Amino acid sequence: MVDLDLIQRAKRGDRAAFEQLVFRYDKQVLTIAARYVQSAEDAKDIYQEVFMRVFRALPRFQLRSQFSTWLFRITTNVCLSHRSRRKRHLHTSLEHESDDEHGRQVEGALRDSAATDHHAEKTDLAVHVAKALESLSPKQRMVFTMKYYDDYKIREISEMTGLAEGTVKRYLFSATRKIRRSLKDLIEEQPS
Amino acid sequence: MKHEYYQELLHLSLYGDLEEDEERCLDEHVQTCSDCSTELAELKKLNAVLRQRSQVEVTDQLLDEARRELRVALRIAESKRFSLAEWIERFTFFPMPSVRLAAVSGATLVIGLSLGYLAFHPGEDSQLSGVMPAVGSSMVERTEPRVSGFRFLQQPQENGDVEIAFDLVTPVRLKGNVADNAVQRVLAQALMNEQNPGARIRTVSALAAQVDASLRPDEEVKAALIQALKSDGNVGVRREALKALRKLPIDKVIKDALLYLLTHDRNPGIRVEAINYLDQSVLTDEVRDPDILKVLQERMQKDENNYVRIRAKNVYEEAQQ
């Protein structure tokens, strides 16, 4: 069944059709969210907020654009507005590292007597990269994670976020400059 | 070409977003430009650092959890969706008073007709609700119906035509035996739709009592138990559903549900109980089913919980003997 049929049925209140529609795209939505945030809980929060907004707005969806375009626009908007809660969580988790995934990795590395220095270094790097990404503005971070970790084309990011391609590039380049500054010492330590 | 152009290409190369001809062009330039050559080396180092980011892995289990939580949120939203405030808001949305009047008149007419119809046909059970096609020996007592979930399928037109939908809710008091088909079906519906987890636990316990009595539950009841087992967000409900199903011999549907639990349920206690259920059948051919063996083997190697791994290993080895 094509999206259009499912949308029409979902608009009439058919829950099964709505779920079918959701399940076509939800892994992609969860992946975008998971790349943007630092924890599975935050990613699930974003996922839920996206589809609740879709659920509420679907009766007014005019079919002027593709459903997927509309959905990913909502996804990026929810990611961007999720910032304050995420920042609060991250602040707490970086202060008390055992609360988040990086913290668990650090803890694991310390607990495991067989853990090598290399593992500990790698975990430390991961924490620094997370902090560097955290220093970006929400839009820079959104565009950067979609490009670098999700591997979307610049044209696709432009479509999904509603930003012009030139703006996407500008965010990418400024994000890279900022990250380079944040990770300067670590980059210099890397072998050539 | 300008140096800035190559700088841009260098950055795009970091993101793997270069066309073939751009890549060739950049390669040639880097050979002759020491600044860009140094910049490229720096970007490669940056790339190596960025790849160390630990990311949230989008596993099937995470997706499953997200879907389960979404279902709960949707259920709650649906129940609140057409509150009185929203109903009023919908009417105030219509720009022209004549259209608003037509909408109100149309809605009143339909509601009036429906209520009138019900008032003159109070004795026909099947027309009130599909969940009680037959009441058997149960005693049913109804009170006045009320309208809820009012919504427009088609907004009022210039000529006053309108299409609306609403739920006509009739509070029912049903007194009977759990073995009664009608009672069971109502419980099955409640198990799938009730928002209160405590009520769902009591419902599934009542159904479990019936399963115990006959060993042949209604297919609808069995389906409701399996759905609760696989997707209910409350661990107590899932545990009760599993207890009820444990009284039944394993068939394909139950087997699939158990394998799903073993792979997806985030609660280790539930996973252990699923293994125990399979263990019941250790002397039958069921447990030698390759699907079951495959999942048991996977759990004994990969499950994050130590006890689940041990139980899976025990049952797997027992089945292999």
Side-chain angles (χ1 to χ4, degrees):
Chain A
M1 195 177 287
V2 294
D3 278 2
L4 187 62
D5 295 331
L6 290 175
I7 292 165
Q8 300 288 18
R9 281 173 50 202
K11 276 181 147 193
R12 289 195 294 269
D14 183 335
R15 257 289 287 283
F18 180 76
E19 283 196 5
Q20 218 178 316
L21 194 60
V22 167
F23 294 168
R24 282 189 181 179
Y25 299 100
D26 66 342
K27 190 164 186 180
Q28 218 176 330
V29 168
L30 190 61
T31 306
I32 292 172
R35 298 288 172 269
Y36 181 73
V37 293
Q38 303 287 334
S39 80
E41 288 308 309
D42 275 348
K44 283 194 294 178
D45 277 357
I46 290 175
Y47 171 99
Q48 188 173 113
E49 177 61 22
V50 167
F51 288 111
M52 290 309 290
R53 282 196 195 183
V54 169
F55 176 74
R56 287 192 291 263
L58 196 63
R60 297 190 300 277
F61 179 55
Q62 296 294 311
L63 298 165
R64 288 197 200 104
S65 60
Q66 293 264 344
F67 174 77
S68 57
T69 309
W70 181 62
L71 172 68
F72 294 131
R73 197 70 62 86
I74 292 174
T75 306
T76 53
N77 282 335
V78 172
C79 284
L80 295 175
S81 62
H82 188 73
R83 183 172 174 248
S84 59
R85 182 153 46 155
R86 179 179 55 77
K87 272 192 95 171
R88 195 168 59 241
H89 286 175
L90 190 71
H91 177 73
T92 313
S93 58
L94 287 175
E95 289 291 315
H96 309 282
E97 284 180 345
S98 59
D99 287 351
D100 76 355
E101 280 143 34
H102 309 300
R104 276 203 294 278
Q105 286 189 4
V106 175
E107 247 186 11
L110 293 173
R111 216 176 28 237
D112 186 354
S113 57
T116 61
D117 288 348
H118 174 68
H119 185 178
E121 268 172 33
K122 210 174 156 185
T123 311
D124 197 37
L125 265 180
V127 174
H128 281 96
V129 173
K131 280 182 177 172
L133 288 171
E134 178 63 14
S135 72
L136 301 176
S137 76
K139 280 184 182 167
Q140 283 175 334
R141 182 187 170 86
M142 184 80 250
V143 166
F144 187 83
T145 53
M146 286 177 88
K147 178 68 233 165
Y148 196 79
Y149 294 107
D150 275 336
D151 218 17
Y152 285 109
K153 297 277 173 207
I154 287 175
R155 178 183 43 76
E156 291 171 317
I157 298 174
S158 160
E159 206 168 82
M160 289 159 92
T161 56
L163 298 168
E165 284 190 27
T167 313
V168 171
K169 281 187 187 173
R170 211 175 59 239
Y171 279 129
L172 267 178
F173 297 158
S174 55
T176 312
R177 274 199 301 275
K178 212 166 176 181
I179 287 175
R180 277 176 84 173
R181 275 201 301 275
S182 307
L183 300 173
K184 194 167 174 284
D185 294 343
L186 290 169
I187 294 169
E188 280 170 7
E189 283 169 16
Q190 291 296 306
S192 298
Chain B
M1 268 181 229
K2 283 183 180 174
H3 193 68
E4 288 75 28
Y5 169 72
Y6 292 109
Q7 290 283 318
E8 185 177 320
L9 290 190
L10 276 171
H11 278 89
L12 290 176
S13 76
L14 172 72
Y15 312 122
D17 214 324
L18 285 186
E19 299 295 335
E20 244 178 67
D21 54 335
E22 288 174 323
E23 215 167 318
R24 215 173 22 250
C25 180
L26 180 65
D27 281 349
E28 284 168 10
H29 175 76
V30 168
Q31 307 275 336
T32 57
C33 175
S34 62
D35 282 355
C36 284
S37 173
T38 312
E39 177 74 355
L40 182 62
E42 287 284 303
L43 286 174
K44 280 182 180 168
K45 285 182 184 177
L46 171 66
N47 191 42
V49 173
L50 287 172
R51 290 289 161 204
Q52 301 301 322
R53 182 195 187 199
S54 72
Q55 299 181 76
V56 176
E57 202 186 334
V58 179
T59 57
D60 286 349
Q61 187 179 347
L62 184 67
L63 184 64
D64 200 53
E65 281 172 23
R67 285 177 174 177
R68 194 183 289 170
E69 287 165 18
L70 176 66
R71 278 200 185 105
V72 174
L74 283 171
R75 205 187 291 163
I76 294 167
E78 270 180 340
S79 68
K80 291 180 182 169
R81 192 170 190 173
F82 299 102
S83 62
L84 184 61
E86 193 175 350
W87 197 77
I88 291 166
E89 191 186 315
R90 275 162 184 264
F91 276 100
T92 53
F93 176 73
F94 301 129
M96 288 180 294
S98 59
V99 176
R100 205 179 303 164
L101 184 64
V104 175
S105 310
T108 310
L109 180 67
V110 177
I111 294 166
L113 285 173
S114 305
L115 290 174
Y117 179 80
L118 282 165
F120 288 101
H121 294 79
E124 294 173 28
D125 297 321
S126 58
Q127 291 181 4
L128 268 178
S129 169
V131 299
M132 288 189 292
V135 289
S137 57
S138 307
M139 195 180 87
V140 179
E141 188 183 293
R142 288 186 200 85
T143 52
E144 281 299 303
R146 61 184 166 82
V147 171
S148 74
F150 184 88
R151 55 208 180 267
F152 281 95
L153 299 179
Q154 188 195 353
Q155 302 288 0
Q157 307 294 300
E158 287 291 332
N159 63 3
D161 284 353
V162 65
E163 189 180 354
I164 59 175
F166 57 90
D167 303 325
L168 204 54
V169 181
T170 309
V172 175
R173 190 171 163 194
L174 179 64
K175 197 174 175 186
N177 191 287
V178 185
D180 190 319
N181 205 29
V183 178
Q184 281 175 28
R185 289 190 172 189
V186 173
L187 290 174
Q189 289 283 331
L191 183 55
M192 288 189 282
N193 298 311
E194 175 56 52
Q195 286 173 32
N196 184 329
R200 293 203 302 279
I201 290 178
R202 285 192 293 278
T203 303
V204 80
S205 300
L207 284 171
Q210 186 275 331
V211 170
D212 195 25
S214 70
L215 287 179
R216 270 186 170 189
D218 184 286
E219 279 306 311
E220 199 177 323
V221 172
K222 188 171 154 188
L225 286 170
I226 286 174
Q227 188 181 321
L229 185 66
K230 286 167 76 174
S231 65
D232 200 293
N234 184 287
V235 67
V237 177
R238 299 204 299 280
R239 183 167 285 126
E240 286 297 315
L242 186 57
K243 264 190 207 166
L245 286 167
R246 276 191 77 166
K247 293 168 184 169
L248 300 174
I250 294 183
D251 61 10
K252 177 153 187 340
V253 184
I254 296 178
K255 182 192 90 176
D256 289 347
L258 287 173
L259 296 185
Y260 180 88
L261 273 198
L262 263 174
T263 319
H264 293 94
D265 202 291
R266 62 197 153 159
N267 186 294
I270 295 281
R271 297 202 296 278
V272 168
E273 284 182 38
I275 295 172
N276 292 342
Y277 189 171
L278 289 169
D279 193 25
Q280 270 186 339
S281 312
V282 78
L283 298 176
T284 73
D285 285 338
E286 282 294 349
V287 84
R288 294 189 190 94
D289 179 317
D291 294 341
I292 298 178
L293 287 176
K294 192 179 158 199
V295 175
L296 282 173
Q297 195 176 21
E298 186 191 286
R299 286 299 97 198
M300 68 190 230
Q301 289 166 352
K302 292 187 189 163
D303 201 285
E304 59 187 23
N305 184 282
N306 191 34
Y307 188 61
V308 176
R309 290 200 300 274
I310 292 169
R311 280 298 293 141
K313 189 168 181 247
N314 289 346
V315 177
Y316 180 82
E317 285 175 354
E318 202 173 335
Q320 295 287 44
Q321 285 166 8

